Amino acid sequence: MKQDMIVILDLGSTENAQLARQIRELRVYSEIHPHDITPKELEKLQNVKGIILNGGENRIVDGVAVEIDPALYHCGYPMLAIDHPTAKCEAKLPALPDIALLKEFVFDTCQAQANWNMKNFIEDQVERIRQQVGDKKVLLALSGGVDSSVVAALLIKAIGKQLVCVHVNHGLMRKNESESVVEVFQNQLKANLIYVDAVERFLGKLEGVADPEQKRKIIGGEFIRVFEEEARKLEGIDFLGQGTIYPDIIESGTKTAKMVKSHHNVGGLPEDLKFELVEPLKQLFKDEVRACGLELGLPSTMVYRQPFPGPGLGVRCLGAITRDRLEAVREADAILREEFEKAGLDKKVWQYFAVVPDFKSVGVKNNARCFDYMVIIRAINTVDAMSATIERVDWDVLGRITDRILTEVDHVNRVCYDMSPKPPATIEFE
Ligand code: XMP
């Protein structure tokens, strides 16, 4: 790492990530490390300009307050202690230092240079990836999501054709999504891309399966099997690229905090397929991942893509998936996205999508009775997806979307808007 770095030692504060972000916003790189890091390990990090000891709510582990290695006090690094030994009291204490104090510590006391930016980050990672990988090959499951797309672009820049991307089209992608993965990565970035058309295979396995959990298991399990089959066909692959990002690592638990959720990855690959991981984004927050993607030349539609569940449209075509309803979900979703973009809502609303339930209602089309499906539109805002409120979409916008869906999408005679917050509803329907 060429950039100067401020290390935050985790003494149980839940605000560590926010503090790291604040420092990075000052254009100084910052990382969180466990409280028991040794002077030797710290030295290995290179360019450490100062240390912040950030104590907090979880400092007491098994009745004992965690402490740093006392040898660190004699290593000559400037230190700033932000501690709340009274954190157990009722009042919420200010958890983050005043920004002026932080600036004074970072720039005056530590003499750190404001040299953290995406250009430097990319240069640095390209060098590290080349060092790690050498002349070996890296395999990457490229879903087209933000994280895997940015990892792919970064790996292509670092090692070009030594990266082998596998894109599995499971038939549950949104309109033109697989096509755009091929266009951007194969045609524009000249990636070594294996496109697997597994549409029939997935839809075959899902036929008649109505239970949401069962559907998710089939889609997830089948994805691993397809990826494994492709991996076995290849020779001389030693590394597996992954779009792990900083929140994944923080949420997997620290020595003081309890685990929030298990670290997600392309888990489930058989034991005999052993790969060393390449995770070049593992120190970035989501907005930094997006900035990195833009810097690497990815289109903003890909970089600002809204969250999309792994099982894709499979959990939005409710109950047992049928091809006609799946197409209706896909077409309605495309119209919704187009109209949200025209109305400027794509930048404002956190997540919006269409759902098609597996029952019909009576309607009238061309002067005759019809019995067709309905499209339910959902648009929500949230910070962390744990709770959500609905977007109060303008009636005119909803009217235009409804008109287009009713005229352009086959087998649909009704459009509804979901007014339910989370809780009690979840964001997705299945
Ligand atoms: P729920 O429905 O639980 O959704 O309120 C919360 C957020 O998670 C997304 N989601 C998923 N993301 N794999 C994913 O990567 C999944 O299986 C999955 N299920 C839900 C959902 O779209 C929402 O943003």
Side-chain angles (χ1 to χ4, degrees):
M1 175 68 61
K2 288 191 207 88
Q3 295 98 354
D4 290 348
M5 185 193 326
I6 302 291
V7 167
I8 298 166
L9 292 188
D10 172 24
L11 287 165
S13 168
T14 50
E15 316 280 347
N16 284 326
Q18 220 176 318
L19 180 58
R21 292 193 55 95
Q22 275 193 350
I23 299 171
R24 290 188 192 186
E25 273 161 26
L26 298 175
R27 304 241 153 262
V28 176
Y29 186 62
S30 176
E31 279 182 10
I32 305 161
H33 284 272
H35 64 274
D36 56 0
I37 191 168
T38 63
K40 238 192 178 150
E41 287 166 332
L42 203 62
E43 212 174 294
K44 264 201 220 148
L45 295 177
Q46 295 176 11
N47 293 1
V48 174
K49 292 286 171 183
I51 298 174
I52 297 181
L53 307 178
N54 199 23
E57 298 86 329
N58 302 322
R59 182 157 189 177
I60 314 288
V61 175
D62 299 330
V64 182
V66 295
E67 296 292 348
I68 64 162
D69 183 338
L72 289 183
Y73 290 111
H74 309 291
C75 291
Y77 296 107
M79 281 196 190
L80 174 71
I82 314 163
D83 209 343
H84 325 108
T86 51
K88 282 198 161 171
C89 75
E90 301 291 300
K92 182 106 178 74
L93 291 156
L96 290 168
D98 173 72
I99 196 78
L101 176 82
L102 196 60
K103 273 188 178 168
E104 187 187 308
F105 176 72
V106 171
F107 296 118
D108 300 340
T109 315
C110 301
Q111 297 278 307
Q113 299 282 318
N115 56 4
W116 155 249
N117 59 45
M118 270 310 140
K119 239 188 164 119
N120 288 349
F121 171 82
I122 291 168
E123 256 176 46
D124 189 58
Q125 287 302 324
V126 163
E127 209 172 287
R128 282 170 182 236
I129 292 164
R130 286 181 184 156
Q131 263 174 24
Q132 185 188 2
V133 173
D135 59 0
K136 303 276 176 23
K137 283 188 186 157
V138 181
L139 180 64
L140 176 75
L142 177 58
S143 66
V146 180
D147 303 340
S148 72
S149 299
V150 177
V151 172
L154 189 52
L155 286 166
I156 290 165
K157 188 175 171 74
I159 54 167
K161 301 266 193 231
Q162 282 166 256
L163 173 72
V164 184
C165 299
V166 175
H167 176 73
V168 178
N169 181 359
H170 50 27
L172 307 167
M173 306 285 282
R174 287 177 291 191
K175 195 172 178 179
N176 292 332
E177 213 156 32
S178 278
E179 290 83 349
S180 106
V181 168
V182 173
E183 170 56 29
V184 170
F185 289 96
Q186 190 160 289
N187 299 351
Q188 291 176 22
L189 297 177
K190 310 289 176 214
N192 198 348
L193 174 73
I194 297 172
Y195 172 85
V196 187
D197 180 348
V199 176
E200 291 307 317
R201 180 168 166 170
F202 276 81
L203 295 186
K205 291 267 174 196
L206 285 164
E207 209 172 307
V209 181
D211 177 62
E213 280 311 303
Q214 198 58 30
K215 282 167 70 178
R216 280 174 178 272
K217 271 195 199 127
I218 290 172
I219 298 166
E222 205 55 24
F223 182 87
I224 304 240
R225 270 188 290 279
V226 174
F227 188 70
E228 182 201 335
E229 282 171 23
E230 292 305 318
R232 286 195 192 283
K233 283 186 213 159
L234 300 163
E235 273 173 23
I237 305 255
D238 293 276
F239 295 89
L240 186 70
Q242 269 190 8
T244 313
I245 68 171
Y246 211 22
D248 299 333
I249 292 188
I250 296 171
E251 284 172 9
S252 310
T254 64
K255 285 182 183 164
T256 52
K258 292 206 172 63
M259 191 171 89
V260 182
K261 65 174 179 190
S262 58
H263 186 152
H264 69 78
N265 51 30
V266 188
L269 284 178
E271 277 288 300
D272 67 317
L273 276 178
K274 280 207 176 71
F275 299 111
E276 189 183 317
L277 296 182
V278 182
E279 299 174 293
L281 305 181
K282 69 174 178 210
Q283 295 295 345
L284 295 191
F285 292 103
K286 194 78 181 187
D287 56 330
E288 294 170 335
V289 172
R290 296 191 210 277
C292 182
L294 289 179
E295 183 72 35
L296 287 162
L298 290 181
S300 65
T301 44
M302 199 167 245
V303 165
Y304 287 101
R305 182 182 189 258
Q306 52 168 320
F308 188 57
L313 299 181
V315 289
R316 296 179 181 170
C317 181
L318 306 186
I321 296 169
T322 56
R323 285 165 204 253
D324 54 352
R325 283 191 307 114
L326 183 59
E327 275 324 298
V329 179
R330 202 180 332 260
E331 290 300 322
D333 171 80
I335 291 171
L336 176 67
R337 285 194 285 141
E338 222 176 283
E339 292 301 325
F340 260 47
E341 204 181 322
K342 276 191 210 155
L345 288 171
D346 57 322
K347 305 233 164 36
K348 178 173 178 246
V349 181
W350 199 83
Q351 195 173 14
Y352 45 95
F353 54 88
V355 165
V356 176
D358 56 349
F359 59 85
K360 292 179 173 177
S361 72
V362 176
V364 53
K365 262 188 202 171
N366 304 324
N367 295 323
R369 180 190 187 276
C370 65
F371 195 45
D372 270 328
Y373 295 110
M374 72 172 64
V375 168
I376 301 172
I377 293 171
R378 185 148 174 74
I380 60 93
N381 291 305
T382 179
V383 175
D384 54 10
M386 303 293 283
S387 63
T389 54
I390 61 143
E391 169 73 16
R392 291 167 178 260
V393 182
D394 184 82
W395 280 99
D396 288 342
V397 176
L398 281 179
R400 275 198 296 278
I401 295 167
T402 303
D403 286 347
R404 282 196 59 192
I405 291 176
L406 293 180
T407 46
E408 294 174 36
V409 183
D410 290 340
H411 312 295
V412 174
N413 64 359
R414 207 176 281 270
V415 176
C416 301
Y417 189 69
D418 183 354
M419 297 286 285
S420 332
K422 174 181 180 176
T426 51
I427 295 174
E428 301 288 346
F429 278 56
E430 288 194 331

